[in-house]
Amino acid sequence: MDTIDNLADNQPKLVGHDHVAQINPLLPLRKWLYSWLFDPGIPGNHQKAVDRWISILIVANLFALLFEHVDVIYEANKHWFHWFDIFSVAIFTVEYLVRLYLAPEDREFGGKKFPRLRYISSPFAVIDFLAVAPFFLQAVIAVDLRFLRSLRLLRILKLFRVLIPACRQFVKVNAGRTFRQKVHALVFAGEYGGTLHNIFDMFIALWVVVSVVAVVLESVQTVHYVLNLQFVILDAVAVAVFTVEYCMRIYSCVEEPGFQRAVLGRFKQARTPSVVIDFLAILPFFLEVFLHHLFDLRFLRVFRLARLLKLTRYTSATSTLTRVIVREWPVISAAAFVMLLLVVLTASLGYLFEHEAQPDKFENIPQSIYWAVVTLASVGYGDISPITPAGRAMTIILALLGIGIFAIPAALFSAAFSDELTKEREKLKRDLYEMLADGVISPDEAAIINREARRLHLRQNEVDHMIEKARNDRESVADLSGLPIHRIAAKPEHAIEHYKALLGQIRQLGILTDGLQFEQLARQADRLTSSELALWRQIHGNHQSQP
Amino acid sequence: MTDTPEQSGVPLALAPALTLADMSFLVFLAAILMAVVWLGRIAYLEGVKTEVTKASGEAWVQWFTEASPKRFTPGFEPSSCAGGASPAGTNGKSAGSDAGASVNPVPERLWEGCLESLMKDVEPIAGLRNPFSGKPLMFAAKCDTDDRSLVGAMVLEKLTPTPPGSAVAYTTSSLVGADIIERKLQLRVTVCDKGAYPIRIAEVEF
């Protein structure tokens, strides 16, 4: 069995460890470069990073292409678009040429005749070529700009280099599973989702960001004036994406523990906060289209910003916040009560002192509440201020009180957040301690550690430190006799402890057993050598009988 | 944790056929997508109508901009929109409304006459229509979200400079038919969108 010390040699990948690729620097350049850049079989090399950055560049190209169709933007930034196009083509061309050079090292083409020719005719290489060909084509042949732009759409096809392997992995892992289970694997985080689930999540997150940015920009009149139709199209596409996601989530949620019942389970899922947010993200679109003839529903557009809340699904911050609020609720409610009391009291006193002097500003107590909150919260807009000596004196006292009273909830939240994070880290430490009971971190345990480490935003060195500490804690209290002898022998301090424990056991044995019979048997049947017997006597002193 | 088939080395099984529920879901999903496309198309067409309204406003701005330097030169057409002192009989109405009007027999050029000529003879303004109602372009004093009849309407406002030292640089008032247009005017062109919200097109000199 693997032990804790063997972890480094035979370990499952832990957070941060995956970027240390073991590539022999003495390999031939081409093989080394392939291993370093493109080999999907070497964990920790730059293959994923290359795919990720190329994907980002493709998406950026897509956006550039969209904005090029807006004359106002294109005409003002023509040079930037041109240089970005050149930059993209340069990167894509370099990628194509490097892949062509390294084709003989690729398992798919290496070992066959004319590997580079085979690479050129492979679907991925054809797509890569089509992505850059129009750029070079225009240098030779006069091509219509619109036609050229449409050809540049082919760059999107490069995403298949990432998508197709992910789909293949998904199909393989989900073979034999039902359609609904596959939908569930795609939409919900789990062991069957794989890379395709991550891509799905990234796709949704991208659309959330794009649609929220669009909503924000829509409020800028000059931008909205120019991009009105583009915003309409963008919103419709975003709603289509989010609607499909919502339907998939509701349909497949019955595969999720706790939601198995066909109707009630789905209803229960629909009531969960994250799914309610999903629903709110698409609702304004349908309401506005259906009802805009009857009512002015423009105010609903601001609710599209709720889409930003969809991102909370991918972070634990909101659940931590909820836990903090629930845990600290008695103290928070007490602080809120004191604040409320102080606000009403301040507003009443403000009205009492200032009403006669400023009847327009301190007309009544409800109106004075605005002034009270602004004063107690140390905001102090200055649009309403006391002018009577009594009013000013009271304001001095209340402003000082306000600093303390209003700071209480902030301090509470801060402490509670910190405490919650510490608790979660302590829990992870305890889990690590339990995991190391057998001295090894299994792949399942590594998956749990990785998930928790990402959730708690722990860096590699922090995880390493926690594992090391848990290991030391366990070893310091563990019964060393339960460990293999080579593990004990690995550390002299452990060996000494073990030796002492064994001596103690031998002494106990000598006390509890009949010493005369022991010696007779040992001598008669030659069960112990003379040196073994001498050692026994030495351990037990000379009170035992002599031969 | 359950092993995936890949991890456990279990032979890959054939995918089960789609159940009735699966197919119903797919049909529902397709229907929903079609509904989104349909609604998106409606929203797009509404957006196009707003674009047409904006284009109408821009056409007016363009005409004002082009006409502004020329209308004070002799022979400007339409003559009812020309600037400077008007020759007798150009406009049907006399300038003065007070008792002194009888002393000055020369009638002044009014926006009413200019607008009539523009809507009748000057392209492309003459052919402009309200894309929301399909009727000829309508002018309003201001966009009012409570009045749905103003959707797609056009608002022309006259900007009058205030004396130096005033809190605001100019005051705005609706350009009405009785406004004299013989002097240079500072105008603001606004159109009302599908919710009768104002979309400011431009401020021009006329």
Side-chain angles (χ1 to χ4, degrees):
Chain A
M1 183 189 279
D2 286 331
T3 57
I4 302 169
D5 280 350
N6 290 340
L7 201 65
D9 303 320
N10 192 19
Q11 62 178 0
K13 278 193 296 179
L14 288 172
V15 167
H17 287 272
D18 50 356
H19 64 72
V20 187
Q22 301 294 325
I23 302 168
N24 186 355
L26 300 174
L27 287 173
L29 175 68
R30 197 176 67 189
K31 193 168 181 56
W32 179 85
L33 194 60
Y34 179 75
S35 307
W36 193 63
L37 274 180
F38 296 136
D39 192 344
I42 298 180
N45 66 358
H46 289 80
Q47 182 254 335
K48 282 186 177 168
V50 168
D51 281 352
R52 186 166 59 241
W53 283 106
I54 292 290
S55 303
I56 289 170
L57 193 59
I58 295 164
V59 174
N61 265 265
L62 181 64
F63 279 104
L65 200 60
L66 287 175
F67 284 119
E68 276 184 24
H69 283 82
V70 183
D71 288 340
V72 179
I73 296 176
Y74 179 67
E75 291 301 327
N77 303 285
K78 203 184 270 184
H79 292 295
W80 287 109
F81 280 108
H82 180 63
W83 283 112
F84 178 69
D85 192 36
I86 289 174
F87 172 74
S88 303
V89 170
I91 296 288
F92 293 152
T93 308
V94 167
E95 186 210 357
Y96 181 81
L97 293 175
V98 172
R99 283 188 191 278
L100 181 66
Y101 168 64
L102 299 176
E105 302 299 334
D106 195 322
R107 286 181 198 88
E108 199 180 334
F109 314 108
K112 293 178 184 171
K113 260 190 170 183
F114 310 116
R116 290 197 174 98
L117 206 60
R118 282 174 186 274
Y119 170 75
I120 288 171
S121 57
S122 70
F124 284 143
V126 170
I127 287 171
D128 285 354
F129 180 74
L130 288 175
V132 294
F135 180 86
F136 296 107
L137 194 69
Q138 65 165 343
V140 186
I141 309 165
V143 187
D144 180 59
L145 188 66
R146 286 186 179 184
F147 180 62
L148 194 69
R149 281 175 181 172
S150 62
L151 282 179
R152 273 164 50 199
L153 273 174
L154 293 170
R155 287 177 194 172
I156 301 167
L157 296 177
K158 278 173 73 69
L159 286 174
F160 281 113
R161 194 180 276 283
V162 180
L163 270 177
I164 288 176
C167 289
R168 277 183 189 152
Q169 182 207 27
F170 186 82
V171 169
K172 195 174 173 185
V173 172
N174 286 279
R177 302 185 81 217
T178 64
F179 174 75
R180 197 173 64 195
Q181 285 172 329
K182 287 174 187 168
V183 174
H184 176 263
L186 184 64
V187 177
F188 289 88
E191 67 209 278
Y192 290 95
T195 313
L196 198 63
H197 167 73
N198 295 338
I199 292 173
F200 180 83
D201 276 354
M202 273 193 288
F203 180 70
I204 296 294
L206 176 75
W207 269 105
V208 167
V209 173
V210 167
S211 63
V212 167
V213 168
V215 173
V216 171
L217 289 178
E218 264 187 64
S219 67
V220 183
Q221 203 189 358
T222 48
V223 177
H224 188 225
Y225 187 88
V226 174
L227 297 175
N228 178 34
L229 279 180
Q230 281 80 357
F231 283 139
V232 171
I233 296 167
L234 199 73
D235 192 41
V237 176
V239 167
V241 169
F242 297 148
T243 306
V244 169
E245 187 217 354
Y246 182 79
C247 292
M248 287 167 81
R249 208 170 274 283
I250 292 292
Y251 174 64
S252 64
C253 71
V254 287
E255 300 290 340
E256 196 74 353
F259 299 93
Q260 278 92 347
R261 299 178 74 178
V263 178
L264 288 177
R266 290 192 171 101
F267 187 62
K268 191 178 168 189
Q269 175 74 11
R271 284 186 302 150
T272 56
S274 63
V275 180
V276 169
I277 288 167
D278 289 347
F279 184 66
L280 287 176
I282 54 175
L283 187 64
F285 175 82
F286 293 100
L287 284 181
E288 200 177 342
V289 173
F290 277 122
L291 304 174
H292 80 275
H293 295 293
L294 304 174
F295 314 104
D296 177 29
L297 294 169
R298 191 168 297 213
F299 73 95
L300 283 178
R301 289 186 184 181
V302 80
F303 287 102
R304 287 181 297 168
L305 287 171
R307 288 171 191 170
L308 201 58
L309 296 175
K310 280 169 77 72
L311 295 179
T312 57
R313 181 173 282 131
Y314 310 113
T315 168
S316 63
T318 40
S319 58
T320 306
L321 176 68
T322 312
R323 274 202 305 278
V324 165
I325 290 173
V326 169
R327 203 186 78 186
E328 299 294 329
W329 182 246
V331 189
I332 291 168
S333 57
F337 176 72
V338 173
M339 277 160 53
L340 185 72
L341 211 66
L342 203 63
V343 165
V344 174
L345 187 72
T346 308
S348 307
L349 289 173
Y351 170 75
L352 184 71
F353 293 133
E354 296 292 325
H355 175 65
E356 276 187 29
Q358 304 180 80
D360 54 330
K361 289 181 177 172
F362 291 84
E363 191 180 342
N364 46 42
I365 292 178
Q367 215 171 39
S368 303
I369 284 178
Y370 165 73
W371 165 77
V373 172
V374 167
T375 306
L376 285 168
S378 309
V379 179
Y381 289 125
D383 52 342
I384 303 177
S385 52
I387 53 171
T388 64
R392 284 181 172 174
M394 180 197 68
T395 306
I396 290 169
I397 297 164
L398 291 175
L400 291 172
L401 270 177
I403 292 169
I405 298 294
F406 272 65
I408 287 174
L412 272 176
F413 271 117
S414 170
F417 255 117
S418 169
D419 194 33
E420 193 66 28
L421 284 175
T422 309
K423 269 185 179 177
E424 286 180 348
R425 288 186 182 207
E426 285 300 320
K427 185 181 174 300
L428 179 59
K429 276 183 195 168
R430 284 199 301 277
D431 290 346
L432 283 172
Y433 184 81
E434 294 302 321
M435 284 173 192
L436 289 169
D438 57 357
V440 66
I441 294 178
S442 67
D444 290 349
E445 289 167 342
I448 294 169
I449 295 171
N450 285 340
R451 195 171 59 238
E452 286 297 297
R454 284 192 196 98
R455 192 173 69 82
L456 299 173
H457 305 288
L458 296 173
R459 289 191 298 276
Q460 179 199 341
N461 58 349
E462 288 175 300
V463 175
D464 288 346
H465 177 72
M466 287 168 87
I467 291 175
E468 186 64 29
K469 190 169 184 315
R471 189 179 67 180
N472 288 340
D473 288 350
R474 178 158 282 285
E475 286 182 356
S476 65
V477 297
D479 178 7
L480 292 172
S481 62
L483 291 176
I485 195 72
H486 69 275
R487 274 283 300 108
I488 299 168
K491 289 191 175 180
E493 62 267 34
H494 288 172
I496 289 169
E497 290 300 319
H498 191 55
Y499 174 67
K500 280 163 69 181
L502 289 175
L503 281 178
Q505 281 180 349
I506 293 170
R507 284 198 187 99
Q508 267 186 321
L509 198 64
I511 292 164
L512 296 174
T513 193
D514 186 336
L516 288 173
Q517 282 187 4
F518 181 93
E519 289 224 4
Q520 281 170 3
L521 273 173
R523 277 202 299 264
Q524 283 170 6
D526 286 336
R527 290 195 174 184
L528 291 177
T529 62
S530 55
S531 57
E532 285 171 347
L533 194 57
L535 187 63
W536 169 265
R537 285 172 183 157
Q538 198 174 349
I539 291 168
H540 291 283
N542 292 329
H543 64 277
Q544 300 284 357
S545 59
Q546 297 295 319
Chain B
M1 195 181 283
T2 316
D3 278 345
T4 60
E6 190 181 38
Q7 289 166 342
S8 59
V10 175
L12 300 179
L14 286 173
L18 291 180
T19 62
L20 186 64
D22 295 337
M23 284 190 279
S24 307
F25 167 69
L26 287 174
V27 170
F28 176 73
L29 199 62
I32 283 282
L33 269 180
M34 282 167 65
V36 172
V37 170
W38 177 61
L39 295 174
R41 187 173 171 273
I42 291 175
Y44 179 79
L45 292 177
E46 290 292 314
V48 168
K49 286 177 185 172
T50 304
E51 290 303 301
V52 172
T53 310
K54 276 156 58 178
S56 301
E58 285 163 3
W60 272 89
V61 169
Q62 192 181 355
W63 186 83
F64 281 135
T65 311
E66 287 171 1
S68 177
K70 297 177 193 165
R71 76 184 189 103
F72 292 93
T73 55
F76 178 77
E77 288 296 335
S79 58
S80 53
C81 297
S86 60
T90 305
N91 220 313
K93 289 186 178 178
S94 65
S97 55
D98 52 2
S102 56
V103 179
N104 180 10
V106 181
E108 291 177 320
R109 291 192 187 88
L110 305 180
W111 171 242
E112 188 181 36
C114 177
L115 180 63
E116 197 179 322
S117 307
L118 288 173
M119 297 297 276
K120 204 170 13 175
D121 304 323
V122 179
E123 288 296 335
I125 291 174
L128 294 177
R129 302 184 82 81
N130 182 341
F132 293 97
S133 63
K135 294 173 184 169
L137 208 56
M138 186 182 77
F139 287 85
K142 65 167 190 170
C143 296
D144 183 358
T145 52
D146 292 332
D147 187 353
R148 307 293 294 174
S149 67
L150 296 178
V151 171
M154 180 163 290
V155 178
L156 293 175
E157 288 171 302
K158 193 172 59 177
L159 307 179
T160 311
T162 54
S166 302
V168 289
Y170 50 77
T171 57
T172 56
S173 57
S174 180
L175 185 67
V176 295
D179 280 323
I180 301 163
I181 57 167
E182 288 178 348
R183 289 182 184 174
K184 273 200 182 294
L185 292 171
Q186 199 69 29
L187 299 177
R188 178 188 287 163
V189 181
T190 305
V191 292
C192 306
D193 71 1
K194 66 170 184 174
Y197 281 90
I199 302 176
R200 193 170 295 181
I201 305 294
E203 288 177 8
V204 287
E205 193 179 66
F206 175 57

